[in-house]
Structures are given as structure tokens and as C-alpha cells.
Amino acid sequence: MREKIIRDPVHDIIAFRTDRPLERLLFSLLNAGEFQRLRRIRQLGMASLAYPGADHSRYSHSLGVMETARKILHRLAEFHTIDKEAWTLCLVSALLHDLGHGPFSHVFERVTDVHHEALTQRVINDPESEVHQILSAFDPSLPARIVGCIGCEEGRTFVSDILCSQLDADRFDYLLRDNLMTGSGYGSFDLRWVLQGLTIDEPTNRLAVSIKGISAVEGYLQSRFHMYRNVYFHKVVRSAEGMVKLALQRAKRLAVQGRLDWPPHGQYVQKALLGQQLTMDEFRNLDDIAVLDCFKIWSKNPDAILARLCNGLLFRRLFKSIDLTRISDDPARIPHILAEVEGAITAAGGEPAYEMFYDSPSDTPYEAYDPTDPSSAKEIMIRTADGDLREFAALSPLVQALNRQMAFQRLHFSEEYRPAVLKAVGG
């Protein structure tokens, strides 16, 4: 028996039996250049500025999603027949689902307007990518089928539910992994008991939960609530991410005007910044390290705004924040407050477009089923003791609290303009 073993902080041992075709394929994909690139993309972007341990990568998360999907399939296979096609599509898709993520995860794509989902599809389909070559060598039709599986092109099945739903392998892994690496203690839940409760509703071919799994699912949804509230929406994390976005926007503006000396015209970071298509070799080199190197160089740029933003990111001199809901419980007042702050910063000699930003992150811990919404297909279904299929909201007393939007309204601003900002908001 030939076995490759990886030790993981969340799942402990992740093993690959390379004498088995599917597991040999998965291990080969791990070593593809496009997948190894994910080692240099941090899972939580700038979160380490608030939680110093949060330096884990998209690589470890993607590996964890595959392992979680494998655990789900093993559990389901105890009571249901799952063919080789489903195993292959599910595990390969789980492993490759984040291939297209750019530097600092979602921040980079907001500036370039090139979304990671589209890039993931391109990497899988591009004959120049190592991932495509490995998949095609296994089965020439596999790249197209993986892209279709990730995009749920053939409709909802239990496989697509494992990949993208409110009970998917992606969410299971990132909550446990982010909780562990941040040391927050907010995102822990009983994954083993959640998995124990999973089943397939054969008439619909969809993922469902047995009645005994309700409490475990409630614990999982509560952990999601706490992680968003205390980690993903942490004011320091959001401040840093906002500054990254402003720095990249400023650099993009200077590049368009021909005023950005580095990176040189046609270099892959500049091409990515301008939303231009990269070659596969260029894509494999586009990572956090490349952009952080730009931040170092830009910190000495003649453009004072770009230099100040990059210095702030490099040395943790972040924007301060004010919770606007504490100033006024009337949402209609927020535009007026922002206009006052913009005026105050302008009067003090600043440029509001780069010295402040308004942030309103939101999330709904559990999205209840809406029969009037044809696109709604991610509901959690419960298999009752008498065999009926009922929506989670009908059986859980926590749904009323979990089905409410959690939102923040914050003003972030440069420390230099604190007096002007506080005066404008009446603080």
C-alpha cells in the first residue's frame, strides 16, 4: 500500500492511497502549480492584524474542504449507494473550488472586477494550466464536468449541496479552521455529530438532516453567527481590508494615468490590477507576496496618498472607526453624517475618497426557505422520525433569531483627521 499523509490542525491525518486512481488524482492536483500558489494566499486576508495567528492559507482550507467532503461522502455511503462519478466530481470540485482567489481574497477582486469564480473556471479549462493537464490525463471530459459541478449547471443534487449550501463542506471547514487559527473560541461546533445526522433524501436526491441532528445544526449556525460578528466583521479586520482596497484603487488610478513607476507596464501585478487577462505562468505568480512587495515599494511613492496607505498597512497604522449606530438609530441620518465628515476632511486639507470610507457588512446566519424565490435552493431540510421532509425553520426554536440580518454601520477614517471627524459627527 502506497500512502501519502498530511497532518492538518483541523482534521489531523489526511491520507491519500496513491494505489487508488481517484486518490492518486487528488494528490497529483495538490502538487499542481496553480494549487501550490494557494499556499501564498492567506485565507483571511488582513485578519492577522487583529488575530496574530490568522496566517493560514487558502491551500490548507482547500485541502480541508476536500477532506470534509470525503467525510460526508463516507457517512452517506453507509446507507446510500454513491457511484464513482459522484465521488470523483465531489472531491475534485471540493479541492479546486478556490483556485481563482486573488491576493487578499475578496478585496483584490472588488478592485479588478475579476471574480474568483470566473478565474477558477478558466484555470480548470485552460490547456496551459497544470490542473487542466492532470484532469485531462485522467479523463479528457473531466475539466468541463468539474466546472459544471462547481457551478451547479445540472441542477441541485446532494453533491452540489455538499459543495455549496448552508450545510456545505466549505463552511464547515472555514469555520473550524478560522476559529482555531484566530484563537477566538467563537466558531467551534460538533462536526462529527453534524455529519452523523446527514442523509440523502432519495426522492429529491438532496442532502438532508435526521431529526437527531437538529441540535448539532443549531450549534453550527450559532458558531457561524459568532464568527461573523467577532472575527470576519471585526472593526480592525474591516479597517485593514478597506485600506487595502483604497491602496489598490489609488495604484490603479495612477497606473491608468501613467504615473505608477512600479510595477512596470505589462508586469503581471499591473495587468491584474487593470483587469487584464494573465497567462497561466503570470497567474501562478500572482499572490499576497507579490502585492505586499508592491506595498513596500509604494510606501516610498511620490504620491502621498498611496505612500501613506501602504505605510499604514505595513506597520499597522490603520484607520480608526466609529460605530454610526451609536450616534443615531435613524438609518436615514447616515448619508448626512457622511457628507458632514467628507466636508470636514476636505476643509482640513484631506481627500475624502482616500481618507475615509463607510462600511456596512452584513450576514444572515440562516436563510429560511422562501417558496416565492425560484433561486432559493440552499435550505436545510430535516428528515423526521416518520419519514417526512420538513424545513429547518419549522422545527428549530432558534430560527427566529438566526434568520435575522446581522449588520454593522461603521465610519473608518485616517487618524490624522480625527479632530475634524469627531467634530463633524458631534463626538
Side-chain angles (χ1 to χ4, degrees):
M1 183 181 70
R2 291 168 292 176
E3 190 173 41
K4 301 292 186 179
I5 294 178
I6 296 174
R7 293 301 294 263
D8 179 73
V10 174
H11 302 288
D12 194 12
I13 291 177
I14 299 178
F16 297 87
R17 286 277 303 274
T18 56
D19 56 331
R20 298 173 179 174
L22 174 55
E23 297 200 17
R24 185 166 60 249
L25 169 65
L26 293 169
F27 192 75
S28 296
L29 289 169
L30 275 183
N31 293 293
E34 296 82 20
F35 195 84
Q36 287 294 314
R37 166 187 168 273
L38 296 178
R39 290 183 181 274
R40 306 186 302 276
I41 304 288
R42 281 185 290 187
Q43 170 74 6
L44 290 183
M46 303 301 290
S48 63
L49 294 179
Y51 296 94
D55 278 325
H56 54 300
S57 67
R58 287 273 166 190
Y59 173 92
S60 62
H61 165 60
S62 296
L63 181 61
V65 175
M66 184 223 70
E67 180 64 12
T68 304
R70 182 157 58 177
K71 289 178 178 178
I72 295 173
L73 288 174
H74 276 299
R75 171 58 184 169
L76 297 176
E78 292 181 15
F79 300 96
H80 306 275
T81 300
I82 300 176
D83 59 33
K84 290 182 179 180
E85 172 80 354
W87 278 90
T88 300
L89 291 179
C90 187
L91 294 184
V92 173
S93 297
L95 185 66
L96 302 182
H97 78 287
D98 268 354
L99 269 187
H101 265 290
F104 303 105
S105 296
H106 298 283
V107 178
F108 199 83
E109 67 185 51
R110 294 189 192 111
V111 175
T112 63
D113 202 30
V114 178
H115 298 284
H116 71 274
E117 295 90 350
L119 274 175
T120 297
Q121 293 182 14
R122 190 204 151 196
V123 172
I124 295 172
N125 281 325
D126 194 324
E128 296 300 315
S129 78
E130 294 177 25
V131 163
H132 179 91
Q133 293 163 12
I134 293 168
L135 292 174
S136 295
F138 185 84
D139 180 343
S141 69
L142 191 53
R145 288 189 288 128
I146 293 300
V147 167
C149 186
I150 292 176
C152 298
E153 292 178 2
E154 297 184 2
R156 281 263 158 201
T157 65
F158 74 91
V159 171
S160 56
D161 287 338
I162 293 172
L163 296 172
C164 182
S165 69
Q166 294 195 80
L167 283 177
D168 63 33
D170 183 23
R171 296 188 189 196
F172 289 161
D173 184 81
Y174 78 62
L175 287 175
L176 291 174
R177 190 170 303 276
D178 296 349
N179 172 69
L180 176 65
M181 303 310 289
T182 58
S184 66
Y186 299 117
S188 181
F189 65 93
D190 193 348
L191 176 62
R192 291 184 65 182
W193 193 249
V194 172
L195 298 184
Q196 191 72 16
L198 293 180
T199 185
I200 297 173
D201 177 55
E202 295 192 349
T204 61
N205 199 30
R206 296 285 305 279
L207 202 63
V209 181
S210 70
I211 193 73
K212 293 181 179 180
I214 288 182
S215 294
V217 171
E218 288 175 337
Y220 151 72
L221 292 172
Q222 288 179 79
S223 75
R224 176 178 167 82
F225 168 82
H226 289 299
M227 285 296 288
Y228 272 86
R229 182 177 183 180
N230 296 289
V231 176
Y232 308 135
F233 294 164
H234 191 289
K235 64 181 181 180
V236 170
V237 176
R238 299 294 296 190
S239 181
E241 290 178 351
M243 289 178 66
V244 170
K245 181 179 179 181
L246 292 178
L248 292 174
Q249 286 176 333
R250 186 68 174 184
K252 180 178 181 179
R253 179 179 178 182
L254 296 175
V256 169
Q257 296 172 348
R259 297 166 53 204
L260 193 66
D261 294 334
W262 179 266
H265 180 72
Q267 196 257 19
Y268 60 89
V269 174
Q270 188 185 76
K271 287 174 66 176
L273 198 59
L274 297 177
Q276 299 172 3
Q277 183 164 303
L278 305 179
T279 66
M280 272 301 114
D281 187 57
E282 290 172 330
F283 173 77
R284 284 189 286 266
N285 284 287
L286 183 66
D287 52 32
D288 287 3
I289 297 171
V291 176
L292 282 170
D293 188 52
C294 288
F295 286 169
K296 289 182 180 180
I297 296 171
W298 293 342
S299 69
K300 297 177 177 61
N301 193 278
D303 183 82
I305 291 174
L306 180 59
R308 185 162 57 249
L309 286 167
C310 291
N311 267 297
L313 290 166
L314 291 171
F315 300 104
R316 204 183 181 279
R317 296 163 189 160
L318 305 178
F319 281 8
K320 303 303 178 183
S321 64
I322 295 176
D323 184 350
L324 295 182
T325 59
R326 295 184 180 180
I327 296 173
S328 173
D329 56 4
D330 181 7
R333 280 206 62 211
I334 290 179
H336 174 74
I337 293 171
L338 296 178
E340 289 288 323
V341 172
E342 288 178 6
I345 291 177
T346 301
E351 191 169 341
Y354 297 100
E355 307 287 2
M356 60 166 281
F357 65 90
Y358 170 64
D359 187 38
S360 56
S362 63
D363 180 72
T364 303
Y366 176 67
E367 299 175 16
Y369 174 60
D370 181 1
T372 66
D373 181 3
S375 67
S376 178
K378 298 182 181 180
E379 67 278 3
I380 297 175
M381 301 306 294
I382 305 296
R383 171 68 69 188
T384 63
D386 56 9
D388 290 338
L389 200 64
R390 300 186 65 185
E391 206 264 335
F392 179 71
L395 299 172
S396 172
L398 291 181
V399 162
Q400 187 173 357
L402 294 171
N403 190 222
R404 297 174 60 184
Q405 187 181 64
M406 169 179 49
F408 296 87
Q409 291 82 38
R410 296 191 186 114
L411 169 66
H412 298 263
F413 57 92
S414 174
E415 168 75 9
E416 181 179 351
Y417 298 100
R418 179 196 287 266
V421 171
L422 293 181
K423 184 177 179 180
V425 301

